[in-house]
Amino acid sequence: MSDKLLHDYNLGEQMNIPVLIKNVVTRTAKTGKQYLAIDFEDKSGEMEGMYWGVTPEEIEIFVIGTVVQLHATKQMYQGTPQLKIANIKLATGKVDLKPSDFITSAPVQRQRMEEEINQVLFSITNPEWNRIVRHLLRKHHDAFYTFPAAKKNHHAYTGGLAYHTLSIVHLAQKIGPLYPQINQGLLLAGAILHDIGKTLELSGPVGTTYTVAGNLLGHIAISDAEIVLAVQDLHLDPNDENIILLRHVILAHHGLLEYGSSIRPAILEAEVLHQLDELDASIEMFTHVAEQTEPGKFSERVYALDKRMIYHPKSLD
Amino acid sequence: MSDKLLHDYNLGEQMNIPVLIKNVVTRTAKTGKQYLAIDFEDKSGEMEGMYWGVTPEEIEIFVIGTVVQLHATKQMYQGTPQLKIANIKLATGKVDLKPSDFITSAPVQRQRMEEEINQVLFSITNPEWNRIVRHLLRKHHDAFYTFPAAKKNHHAYTGGLAYHTLSIVHLAQKIGPLYPQINQGLLLAGAILHDIGKTLELSGPVGTTYTVAGNLLGHIAISDAEIVLAVQDLHLDPNDENIILLRHVILAHHGLLEYGSSIRPAILEAEVLHQLDELDASIEMFTHVAEQTEPGKFSERVYALDKRMIYHPKSLD
Amino acid sequence: MSDKLLHDYNLGEQMNIPVLIKNVVTRTAKTGKQYLAIDFEDKSGEMEGMYWGVTPEEIEIFVIGTVVQLHATKQMYQGTPQLKIANIKLATGKVDLKPSDFITSAPVQRQRMEEEINQVLFSITNPEWNRIVRHLLRKHHDAFYTFPAAKKNHHAYTGGLAYHTLSIVHLAQKIGPLYPQINQGLLLAGAILHDIGKTLELSGPVGTTYTVAGNLLGHIAISDAEIVLAVQDLHLDPNDENIILLRHVILAHHGLLEYGSSIRPAILEAEVLHQLDELDASIEMFTHVAEQTEPGKFSERVYALDKRMIYHPKSLD
Amino acid sequence: MSDKLLHDYNLGEQMNIPVLIKNVVTRTAKTGKQYLAIDFEDKSGEMEGMYWGVTPEEIEIFVIGTVVQLHATKQMYQGTPQLKIANIKLATGKVDLKPSDFITSAPVQRQRMEEEINQVLFSITNPEWNRIVRHLLRKHHDAFYTFPAAKKNHHAYTGGLAYHTLSIVHLAQKIGPLYPQINQGLLLAGAILHDIGKTLELSGPVGTTYTVAGNLLGHIAISDAEIVLAVQDLHLDPNDENIILLRHVILAHHGLLEYGSSIRPAILEAEVLHQLDELDASIEMFTHVAEQTEPGKFSERVYALDKRMIYHPKSLD
Amino acid sequence: MSDKLLHDYNLGEQMNIPVLIKNVVTRTAKTGKQYLAIDFEDKSGEMEGMYWGVTPEEIEIFVIGTVVQLHATKQMYQGTPQLKIANIKLATGKVDLKPSDFITSAPVQRQRMEEEINQVLFSITNPEWNRIVRHLLRKHHDAFYTFPAAKKNHHAYTGGLAYHTLSIVHLAQKIGPLYPQINQGLLLAGAILHDIGKTLELSGPVGTTYTVAGNLLGHIAISDAEIVLAVQDLHLDPNDENIILLRHVILAHHGLLEYGSSIRPAILEAEVLHQLDELDASIEMFTHVAEQTEPGKFSERVYALDKRMIYHPKSLD
Amino acid sequence: MSDKLLHDYNLGEQMNIPVLIKNVVTRTAKTGKQYLAIDFEDKSGEMEGMYWGVTPEEIEIFVIGTVVQLHATKQMYQGTPQLKIANIKLATGKVDLKPSDFITSAPVQRQRMEEEINQVLFSITNPEWNRIVRHLLRKHHDAFYTFPAAKKNHHAYTGGLAYHTLSIVHLAQKIGPLYPQINQGLLLAGAILHDIGKTLELSGPVGTTYTVAGNLLGHIAISDAEIVLAVQDLHLDPNDENIILLRHVILAHHGLLEYGSSIRPAILEAEVLHQLDELDASIEMFTHVAEQTEPGKFSERVYALDKRMIYHPKSLD
């Protein structure tokens, strides 16, 4: 068995390797035949392929989260790598292969992220905020360090939620000292908790989907509810201004009502948290798109960037 | 002392009656002199007047919630009645005058509203929704039946919150049977709770203002938090779909994100509740504006109706 | 010959039944071969299928409104049932099959709808409105009771226009009494006439398309013109306020200029009619989408509902 | 009596001249005193002034359309000339002064405009369009040649409607030959009729206001209704494509639905008429604003030009 | 060899003619096979075809700008003519065939356009504007008379830039005299220079693409920079108001900031130039769409016309 | 003479101090009398006052940039301090008072800002960018270090342009290292030059207004032109990708076309510069508004922050 991974193969090269089915949809072609559209995944990333001539039995076997032996050739389809599948079979003989062996992870180790977050807690000197943050990190401990930050696109890997949270924390630590009028404790508490509701909005690190609660409530309302319950559990005063400020920072962090905030930022820390969240997301997306674009060329129009075409400068590499 | 009230006087007629100061702002004219802009109120409604030549002592005395003896003449200013004030003094000799004697109330008695709401509870057969509604009505009992529904404009009187809630309940009771696919229990539970957070967003029935929590969180997030806490207090399962549906109906009831909903209606009952809320508000505003407009004439542009001018037909009276 | 209809068959089951060609488009595949995309219809509803390998002669025969014998298998394509066609032939031997035997109809009989509408006329006590409504119902009698309300999606069946009109009338009858300030006669006259122009905007109950006048004028302007001509035919005074109010209610019933109203509602009855129209349409669409979605699942994004995904609650069934 | 007119006086100079009251509003100052805000007019244009200390009798006398003797001084107020009124009295001794002696007129004589319009009719060779245009010009003959095109701002003078119509006709005559694909007859018929409804939307040349029909229907729907009635009066076929095209050109001439068109231009002539209408209006507004702005300076923000500030170049004079 | 060109063939007719590859993209079908999507061009216009079963060698040979011998049949695909390709080979034996023999050109000869533009220069009497225009026409002489005005759609042919420029010049010459307040010299100078930056935004007349500078700067900024450099080269005063006005007219000619103007028109000539540019573009697009639509039918929705469907009247032909 | 400055006085306290007239407008009250609305300024900031009963001679003397002796009392007007003026006279006896003694300055000394900027230049290692930045800083040296960044509101003081520029530079220096994919040289060069055109858009540090070029071209186009001329002066290649990237970063730095960018950010550094510019501006505005708002209160609606009300938390001070 080869040690090469999905993205190590060249165009036109054949592979025969174990991979994870990250997502799969059964479709019917116009001609009436069924096929599977599968997203395969291993530690090197994801790649899509169509599995033609699938049998009804295979449709029942090849579900999300299954490890399979993939025999295929790598090709290009509309500017994206795609697999031409020769065949797929269950990787049954290889009992030691667990789905978690195949999923990509944050570029930083979980242990180091935990240490960093724990370190940040000391900068939140206000006792209410500090207790609430500790309480919720404890309550959602495993999910917080293993969930992705989104179903796909940005930070869509194991540990992505904690990694994205840490990016915002780092920005806050750098920018706070330039503007002494910013309350650093509130900004950091808000940064750590702003996406805490994603631990309930998403289904988990493998085969991630939105939960019913995620779709019907949204992670902002879920995050707010978590704080409200924490306040009750910790016997804090829900009418204390500090509690209201922390809830405001979370409720307002999407900035505009159109983006799902139920209220617009009315204090400095809420505005700054919102802008740092946006800055980190933009940098992620620009970087991702530029990497997939040849130097000296423009990308296709990127929907998530308002349909802009991104340029990969050849002179900056 | 006359028995006539503020709105019983004709244009140009003098009055000398006890009234309540509903709202007051100290202003400085361009000439540098200070004056008070006062909203007076009694059971007949509100009327504004400027009190010129106010002394510093009077500024400290004539605060929101004070009962005063008003000596003034009724006039028109830009199409609205206004008071030309001769003088104001504390209504000190009249010890039996309480602020609550002067505030306008819902057109229906509190007791009858309570009875109606209690009756509606029997139509909410789902036990989780029924218990949550009862729990929250009990928790906010007094505020729910005495608060206005808004600081000004629509349903801005004692009991306005319960009265507006009942209007939505009545619409739901009429429309539900026309469309059997509507879950009547969910619609009614949503109708009763949709503005429950106003009991914390507003300061109370007299001299109503927005609380800090009201401004920083908004009544939608406050209402949602109340349900979340009720679920915990009643030891219900927060992941039960029924609980999530009820929260969704509340979170989505402003319809559009731009109007402060953190999520758009995704189930029929949420969409219907949103539209009934809008229908009742529109009817209230059209009625109010038309009443203040002469038959055969158009109103000024109404900001809250997207700057439309409303026509008062002369042939429909 | 089987008595089963299109929607009575299970997935994978073969059928050989007479059906109507509701709509048909000739297309060329990328490979250069022509095929027909056909919407078939019988009393159970519609279903689509691609007819591959069609001959030039067949293209000329299988036109809109033809009754054919369909031999096919039912399958799923992107979440929607679709027919895999074995062959189609003219249902020539069955001389008794008329196109009208195959089209779906409103859930209420035409006769009962006529009776109900006739009953409503007694509530329109104003003689001008009453005469105009009667005049136009007489003028467009057949079309009004047989046309659909739209080419597709909502109320797109024989009698759909009258059925949709009656839904608005029912809403008006229920809501009017809750708000005595609404002029019930004007609201009902507006409700009956608001879509009368669809009798000229659409081509008819079978193989419905937009007429040239429909596309170039729109049903709002057509409806208004019908009232203007009725006023002249009935020798009424076009400058009577009652006439102007009725025209206003029709012209404004889409609410926003962006939705094709040439004027925004400026009287209460116009605003209420607009909102009831929207309410009925929303309920129709939510119900339709939820029915086609599995309990516990979200629909695909629905374009006509601003791309929302609709949830089918499993606990409410 | 001086022969000088309103706009012939310099700043600070006194005048004592007969003028017309074009518009008047009674207002109450914050101090409770009433005054009149009057727009005066003579052949040189309009000018505003406040009449302080007005008596109740004077309020009844100084109504719209009255000729008065004005004793006042010209001043500047927020960049606009304004009258400081010493006193006003009825110009009773001057029995020969008619309101029409004081209103401004189009820069072209009515007779010449009639001749030009009559000449244009020969270019409309299609008999249906020609007959409809003749019919409606005859029906609204006097109003068409005396009404303004708007209550204020652009073409707000006697004959303004015909003058604005002629400007569009001239543009059409110049541009048509550059693009032979334009149907010149349809464009000219549309140009002449596009604002014909203003003869019913506005009240007349003196003291112009919007009629109730104008406010509730809008001039686009009124114009369309006039064509519909003309078709009936002339026994033309309402389903003839030529009739539908002419109606479309009128219904679509505001271009965007947001601007009150009930349909967007779908044929070339409708699009061109819309753009020529906009071009003429823009040129009018730019010219008017630049004239009132000192060379080398920017105007205040102009609401009707999307709040732009217009520059009056000093080097182009 | 036939003398017939691409668009001379009827549906279903075979052709075997030399054509130019205007554009070509390599694609992979879902089945994994590669094919070429080719835009062919000759003097009669463009037509698309898919070349199935292409070999890797052919992919390297059949690049943009190649003259090939095309053996194909004309068909319709979704309302547009398309080629069903039998085979393609290099037109090697025909040494005299140059790419420029196959590209479509403006309907007016280059020489005549040069003469017209040179004539217009005499109407620009202001010496600064005259010298700048002459300087830039000289600097970009060849590109100005050979480049298209766009990559595709409107004026996308050799000489299209000069042709579109002349259309605007003609409109300006016609409309200017109707409004004497327009400075004709400034309007004409602006008309000639408004798209001069396209000589650097686009790559050239054959196989036109956007340059990197074109995509990253846009032709408005490029045009402005060209004027700024001309001013320096001609030793003119950059602070002279005439220079600033000319730059303003160019910078503002897209009218709205959303369309890429960096400033909105603040002088009459800038507003007029913007509207004439829009008028010419609209007429072009309506004409083009109507030509491709059958009389009595509506087009598909046209993206560049805000998704409107355009009608081709049958009675106007 | 007192040493206290404008903002050192308490409410109701009298002052008699030399101040600068920063801005002055002559107005006419409704009563017809003229007065001056004056913005006074000294090192402590600005304050407004109305000067009633002004004589024509005084109007000519009290112009922008005059130092006067102000005798007045400090009051509050609609939540803002305002001066009740007793009298004003020329500060003629005090020959040593220069306007520049009264204007507020950046919180950092010019010399230190120069040193910091000079230090940053070493981080711009690309020779083209480095030479262009040096060239333009030299060309606009004095203006760059003395101009404000805006006419009013944010950074509207001497040296404000350099101070704001340095804030962006500091943000870039902090954030760059967190994302190694950012080209630090390009980001820094863009940060220094992004507002360089303000040296020509604004009139200078005293009595700042917009120049005609500023209003007609905007500072983005002016900045771009400066770079284009620098490239020519330095004999660099205008088609070098590095030059185009630098121009792009400047042209795109307002982010959205609606905000005046002629192109949207298409490379990472352009997006980041835009967001840092926005972040610094938001922090400035929030800080400024919160400072002027009492702890525990909300501000009035702030136009420049989308009409939001900003909260000044009492628990964070």
Side-chain angles (χ1 to χ4, degrees), chain B residues 66-138:
Chain B
T66 312
V67 177
V68 295
Q69 186 72 16
L70 169 71
H71 187 175
T73 311
K74 184 170 166 187
Q75 297 190 320
M76 289 300 284
Y77 178 64
Q78 296 187 352
T80 314
Q82 199 182 56
L83 294 161
K84 184 176 174 186
I85 300 174
N87 68 54
I88 314 176
K89 50 187 176 185
L90 274 187
T92 43
K94 312 181 175 177
V95 289
D96 53 338
L97 293 175
K98 300 187 307 288
S100 56
D101 296 339
F102 292 89
I103 43 183
T104 51
S105 306
V108 176
Q109 293 273 323
R110 170 170 174 173
Q111 191 187 335
R112 181 149 151 242
M113 295 199 290
E114 292 202 33
E115 285 163 11
E116 282 209 52
I117 290 281
N118 289 338
Q119 207 54 41
V120 174
L121 296 176
F122 292 103
S123 305
I124 306 174
T125 53
N126 171 293
E128 283 94 350
W129 299 334
N130 191 293
R131 290 180 65 198
I132 293 169
V133 172
R134 285 181 194 278
H135 179 87
L136 288 176
L137 284 179
R138 216 177 301 121

Side-chain angles (χ1 to χ4, degrees), chain C residues 152-293:
Chain C
K152 61 176 179 172
N153 293 333
H154 94 105
H155 304 101
Y157 41 68
T158 299
L161 174 56
Y163 185 76
H164 168 63
T165 299
L166 260 177
S167 298
I168 309 298
V169 165
H170 292 156
L171 283 170
Q173 288 174 322
K174 289 291 186 191
I175 285 171
L178 292 178
Y179 301 92
Q181 64 268 47
I182 295 176
N183 184 301
Q184 192 72 352
L186 180 55
L187 183 59
L188 289 171
I192 295 177
L193 295 185
H194 82 290
D195 273 350
I196 194 77
K198 289 196 169 170
T199 57
L200 299 167
E201 186 193 32
L202 299 170
S203 63
V206 180
T208 307
T209 57
Y210 286 94
T211 62
V212 170
N215 267 324
L216 288 182
L217 307 177
H219 72 267
I220 288 189
I222 296 174
S223 299
D224 183 53
E226 287 302 299
I227 296 176
V228 165
L229 290 171
V231 167
Q232 173 148 307
D233 290 347
L234 296 168
H235 307 295
L236 300 176
D237 174 7
N239 299 315
D240 181 345
E241 196 193 62
N242 283 322
I243 303 301
I244 293 169
L245 293 176
L246 181 61
R247 290 181 63 192
H248 172 73
V249 163
I250 303 307
L251 287 168
H253 88 268
H254 280 196
L256 295 175
L257 303 187
E258 296 88 298
Y259 295 164
S261 277
S262 63
I263 203 97
R264 299 203 59 194
I267 64 172
L268 178 59
E269 290 76 12
E271 179 70 22
V272 170
L273 177 60
H274 155 58
Q275 292 208 21
L276 296 186
D277 194 21
E278 203 166 88
L279 180 63
D280 185 57
S282 301
I283 292 175
E284 272 279 321
M285 282 189 284
F286 265 81
T287 303
H288 184 69
V289 174
E291 275 171 12
Q292 302 194 320
T293 306

Side-chain angles (χ1 to χ4, degrees), chain B:
Chain B
M1 171 191 156
S2 159
D3 283 350
K4 280 165 70 176
L5 297 176
L6 267 175
H7 283 267
D8 299 334
Y9 288 85
N10 295 320
L11 272 183
E13 197 178 352
Q14 283 198 17
M15 61 187 75
N16 193 341
I17 55 173
V19 292
L20 177 73
I21 293 179
K22 179 175 189 175
N23 201 21
V24 59
V25 183
T26 307
R27 291 196 184 133
T28 306
K30 282 192 177 167
T31 57
K33 287 187 231 155
Q34 287 190 303
Y35 66 96
L36 300 179
I38 311 181
D39 292 333
F40 298 101
E41 182 177 26
D42 66 15
K43 292 278 184 192
S44 71
E46 301 173 37
M47 204 171 293
E48 195 190 27
M50 303 299 146
Y51 184 38
W52 300 91
V54 66
T55 65
E57 294 73 32
E58 287 176 316
I59 292 177
E60 303 218 345
I61 292 171
F62 296 151
V63 294
I64 292 178
T66 312
V67 177
V68 295
Q69 186 72 16
L70 169 71
H71 187 175
T73 311
K74 184 170 166 187
Q75 297 190 320
M76 289 300 284
Y77 178 64
Q78 296 187 352
T80 314
Q82 199 182 56
L83 294 161
K84 184 176 174 186
I85 300 174
N87 68 54
I88 314 176
K89 50 187 176 185
L90 274 187
T92 43
K94 312 181 175 177
V95 289
D96 53 338
L97 293 175
K98 300 187 307 288
S100 56
D101 296 339
F102 292 89
I103 43 183
T104 51
S105 306
V108 176
Q109 293 273 323
R110 170 170 174 173
Q111 191 187 335
R112 181 149 151 242
M113 295 199 290
E114 292 202 33
E115 285 163 11
E116 282 209 52
I117 290 281
N118 289 338
Q119 207 54 41
V120 174
L121 296 176
F122 292 103
S123 305
I124 306 174
T125 53
N126 171 293
E128 283 94 350
W129 299 334
N130 191 293
R131 290 180 65 198
I132 293 169
V133 172
R134 285 181 194 278
H135 179 87
L136 288 176
L137 284 179
R138 216 177 301 121
K139 181 174 177 187
H140 300 287
H141 192 255
D142 245 49
F144 182 72
Y145 286 107
T146 56
F147 273 43
K151 186 180 163 186
K152 60 175 180 173
N153 294 332
H154 95 103
H155 304 101
Y157 41 69
T158 299
L161 174 56
Y163 185 76
H164 167 64
T165 298
L166 260 178
S167 297
I168 308 299
V169 164
H170 291 157
L171 284 169
Q173 287 174 322
K174 289 291 186 190
I175 285 171
L178 292 178
Y179 299 93
Q181 65 268 48
I182 295 176
N183 184 302
Q184 193 71 354
L186 181 54
L187 182 58
L188 289 171
I192 295 177
L193 295 187
H194 82 292
D195 275 350
I196 194 76
K198 288 195 171 172
T199 56
L200 298 167
E201 186 193 32
L202 298 172
S203 63
V206 180
T208 307
T209 57
Y210 286 94
T211 61
V212 169
N215 268 323
L216 289 181
L217 308 177
H219 71 267
I220 289 189
I222 296 174
S223 299
D224 182 55
E226 287 302 298
I227 296 176
V228 165
L229 290 172
V231 168
Q232 172 146 311
D233 290 346
L234 297 166
H235 307 296
L236 301 175
D237 174 7
N239 299 316
D240 181 344
E241 195 193 61
N242 284 321
I243 302 301
I244 293 170
L245 293 176
L246 180 61
R247 288 181 64 190
H248 173 72
V249 164
I250 302 306
L251 286 168
H253 88 267
H254 280 197
L256 296 174
L257 302 187
E258 297 88 299
Y259 296 164
S261 277
S262 62
I263 204 97
R264 298 204 60 194
I267 64 173
L268 178 59
E269 291 75 12
E271 181 68 22
V272 171
L273 176 60
H274 155 58
Q275 292 207 24
L276 296 186
D277 194 21
E278 203 166 88
L279 181 62
D280 184 57
S282 301
I283 293 176
E284 273 279 321
M285 282 189 285
F286 266 80
T287 303
H288 184 69
V289 173
E291 274 171 10
Q292 301 194 320
T293 306
E294 236 177 292
K297 298 288 182 199
F298 282 82
S299 70
E300 300 286 304
R301 297 199 171 275
V302 183
Y303 193 82
L305 291 169
D306 281 350
K307 302 188 185 162
R308 277 182 274 178
M309 298 186 303
I310 304 309
Y311 182 62
H312 184 158
K314 51 183 180 227
S315 53
L316 299 192
D317 277 352

Side-chain angles (χ1 to χ4, degrees), chain D residues 75-105:
Chain D
Q75 297 190 318
M76 289 301 282
Y77 179 63
Q78 297 186 352
T80 314
Q82 198 182 57
L83 294 161
K84 185 177 173 185
I85 301 175
N87 69 54
I88 315 176
K89 50 187 177 185
L90 274 187
T92 45
K94 310 181 176 177
V95 290
D96 53 338
L97 292 175
K98 300 188 305 287
S100 56
D101 296 340
F102 292 89
I103 43 183
T104 51
S105 306

